[in-house]
Amino acid sequence: MKVVALNGSPHGDAGHTALILAPFLEGMKAAGAEVKVFETRAMTVLPCRGEYNCWFRTPGRCFQQDDMQTLLPELLTAHVLVLATPLYVDGMTGPLKMVVDRMIPLGEPKIVYREDHCRHPGHSDVRDWKLALVSNCGFWELDNFDALVGHVRAIAKNLDATFAGALLRPHGPAFKAMLDARAPVQNVRDAARDAGRQLIENGSIAPETLSIVSRPLLPRDQYVAIANQHIAQRVQQATQTSTD
Ligand SMILES: Cc1cc2nc3c(=O)[nH]c(=O)nc-3n(C[C@H](O)[C@H](O)[C@H](O)COP(=O)(O)O)c2cc1C
């Protein structure tokens, strides 16, 4: 089973998104999957130009010479696709969306009905993908992810993939701080690892496992107070530096 994970965080493997993505992928590897990770911060991917050359002039291939030339063949042989992103203005990061837009060569230039809805048929080489989402965000509430989850569910339908679930970590910066402070939050990482194992072994992730990944880590008022204190310190430091 081959997994391709796209990490759209500008902080890559040092970011808060990676704190959930890494154990999720570890769980998949432990269950025997071959995992390839692509970080958008290390990739050059130009925006789709919308000229449909990949459908008409050079079927299945984009004429733009950038890192999609490496990624597209990997996607063709993948069984699981993971989209990992911090929440940016209620959605995925721009670089990750640019990569998703550039997956258009994986669709056929034709409109068909799927579940009584207009779609493009998938490329004949594309597997029956399972699509999983990993995200973290700065605000406290879980419902901050609603728009992003709706978007990724729609992407799954668009790509003729099966939505396999979302590993969502609200108040993500608190998770990092609590891990560093050795607070008892290890079960969140363990659940992310277990989710990876379940996806490879069973083809799905138990809702109870996903709820542990998303569980509240501290009361909202406490989080907001700590976050505001941290922000005020950063503002003060920046003001001092600029007047030094
Ligand atoms: C441009 C920008 C937009 C953001 N938008 C949101 C948002 O809409 N909701 C939210 O809860 N957090 C938002 N955040 C906070 C990030 O999701 C949060 O800091 C996250 O932990 C960053 O993850 P990373 O370390 O993987 O980059 C935003 C951050 C930036 C820089």
Short mmCIF file of all heavy atoms in Angstrom, two decimals, residues 1-3 25-35 196-197 200-201:
data_model
loop_
_atom_site.label_atom_id
_atom_site.label_comp_id
_atom_site.label_asym_id
_atom_site.label_seq_id
_atom_site.Cartn_x
_atom_site.Cartn_y
_atom_site.Cartn_z
N MET A 1 0.86 -1.19 0.00
CA MET A 1 0.00 0.00 0.00
C MET A 1 0.89 1.24 0.00
O MET A 1 1.78 1.36 0.83
CB MET A 1 -0.86 -0.03 1.27
CG MET A 1 -1.80 1.13 1.43
SD MET A 1 -3.49 0.90 0.86
CE MET A 1 -4.07 -0.52 1.72
N LYS A 2 0.65 2.14 -0.94
CA LYS A 2 1.51 3.34 -1.03
C LYS A 2 0.75 4.59 -0.59
O LYS A 2 -0.40 4.80 -0.99
CB LYS A 2 2.00 3.50 -2.47
CG LYS A 2 2.82 4.75 -2.66
CD LYS A 2 3.48 4.77 -4.02
CE LYS A 2 4.04 6.14 -4.31
NZ LYS A 2 4.65 6.22 -5.62
N VAL A 3 1.42 5.39 0.23
CA VAL A 3 0.81 6.61 0.77
C VAL A 3 1.62 7.81 0.29
O VAL A 3 2.85 7.81 0.41
CB VAL A 3 0.84 6.59 2.32
CG1 VAL A 3 0.25 7.88 2.90
CG2 VAL A 3 0.11 5.36 2.86
N LEU A 25 1.69 9.07 10.08
CA LEU A 25 2.46 8.35 9.06
C LEU A 25 3.26 7.20 9.66
O LEU A 25 3.41 6.15 9.04
CB LEU A 25 3.40 9.32 8.32
CG LEU A 25 2.70 10.48 7.57
CD1 LEU A 25 3.74 11.36 6.88
CD2 LEU A 25 1.69 9.97 6.54
N GLU A 26 3.73 7.41 10.91
CA GLU A 26 4.46 6.31 11.59
C GLU A 26 3.54 5.09 11.73
O GLU A 26 3.96 3.95 11.51
CB GLU A 26 4.84 6.74 13.01
CG GLU A 26 6.16 7.49 13.14
CD GLU A 26 6.27 8.15 14.51
OE1 GLU A 26 5.73 7.60 15.51
OE2 GLU A 26 6.86 9.23 14.55
N GLY A 27 2.29 5.36 12.10
CA GLY A 27 1.32 4.27 12.26
C GLY A 27 1.10 3.54 10.93
O GLY A 27 0.98 2.31 10.89
N MET A 28 1.08 4.31 9.84
CA MET A 28 0.89 3.68 8.52
C MET A 28 2.09 2.82 8.17
O MET A 28 1.94 1.70 7.67
CB MET A 28 0.70 4.77 7.46
CG MET A 28 -0.57 5.55 7.61
SD MET A 28 -0.84 6.50 6.12
CE MET A 28 -2.00 7.68 6.71
N LYS A 29 3.30 3.38 8.45
CA LYS A 29 4.52 2.60 8.13
C LYS A 29 4.57 1.33 8.95
O LYS A 29 4.90 0.26 8.43
CB LYS A 29 5.77 3.43 8.44
CG LYS A 29 6.08 4.48 7.40
CD LYS A 29 7.41 5.15 7.73
CE LYS A 29 7.45 6.54 7.14
NZ LYS A 29 8.42 7.43 7.75
N ALA A 30 4.21 1.44 10.24
CA ALA A 30 4.24 0.26 11.12
C ALA A 30 3.28 -0.81 10.61
O ALA A 30 3.49 -2.00 10.83
CB ALA A 30 3.89 0.66 12.55
N ALA A 31 2.22 -0.36 9.90
CA ALA A 31 1.26 -1.34 9.36
C ALA A 31 1.68 -1.83 7.97
O ALA A 31 0.93 -2.54 7.30
CB ALA A 31 -0.13 -0.70 9.31
N GLY A 32 2.88 -1.41 7.54
CA GLY A 32 3.44 -1.97 6.30
C GLY A 32 3.34 -1.07 5.08
O GLY A 32 3.71 -1.48 3.98
N ALA A 33 2.85 0.17 5.26
CA ALA A 33 2.71 1.05 4.09
C ALA A 33 4.05 1.67 3.69
O ALA A 33 4.91 1.91 4.54
CB ALA A 33 1.70 2.15 4.39
N GLU A 34 4.15 1.93 2.39
CA GLU A 34 5.29 2.72 1.88
C GLU A 34 4.81 4.17 1.87
O GLU A 34 3.76 4.47 1.30
CB GLU A 34 5.62 2.28 0.45
CG GLU A 34 6.70 3.07 -0.22
CD GLU A 34 6.62 3.00 -1.75
OE1 GLU A 34 5.79 2.23 -2.27
OE2 GLU A 34 7.37 3.72 -2.41
N VAL A 35 5.55 5.06 2.57
CA VAL A 35 5.08 6.44 2.74
C VAL A 35 6.04 7.42 2.10
O VAL A 35 7.25 7.37 2.36
CB VAL A 35 4.92 6.76 4.25
CG1 VAL A 35 4.54 8.22 4.46
CG2 VAL A 35 3.88 5.84 4.90
N GLY A 196 -3.33 5.99 11.85
CA GLY A 196 -2.57 5.57 10.66
C GLY A 196 -2.61 4.07 10.47
O GLY A 196 -2.81 3.56 9.37
N ARG A 197 -2.43 3.38 11.59
CA ARG A 197 -2.45 1.90 11.53
C ARG A 197 -3.83 1.41 11.06
O ARG A 197 -3.95 0.58 10.17
CB ARG A 197 -2.12 1.33 12.91
CG ARG A 197 -2.03 -0.17 12.98
CD ARG A 197 -2.01 -0.70 14.40
NE ARG A 197 -3.13 -0.28 15.23
CZ ARG A 197 -4.37 -0.75 15.14
NH1 ARG A 197 -4.66 -1.66 14.24
NH2 ARG A 197 -5.32 -0.29 15.93
N ILE A 200 -4.53 1.83 7.28
CA ILE A 200 -3.88 0.84 6.40
C ILE A 200 -4.48 -0.55 6.62
O ILE A 200 -4.76 -1.27 5.66
CB ILE A 200 -2.35 0.81 6.66
CG1 ILE A 200 -1.73 2.18 6.34
CG2 ILE A 200 -1.66 -0.30 5.85
CD1 ILE A 200 -2.00 2.71 4.94
N GLU A 201 -4.72 -0.90 7.88
CA GLU A 201 -5.18 -2.27 8.15
C GLU A 201 -6.67 -2.47 7.85
O GLU A 201 -7.08 -3.52 7.36
CB GLU A 201 -4.90 -2.65 9.61
CG GLU A 201 -3.41 -2.86 9.85
CD GLU A 201 -3.09 -3.21 11.30
OE1 GLU A 201 -4.02 -3.24 12.14
OE2 GLU A 201 -1.90 -3.45 11.58
#
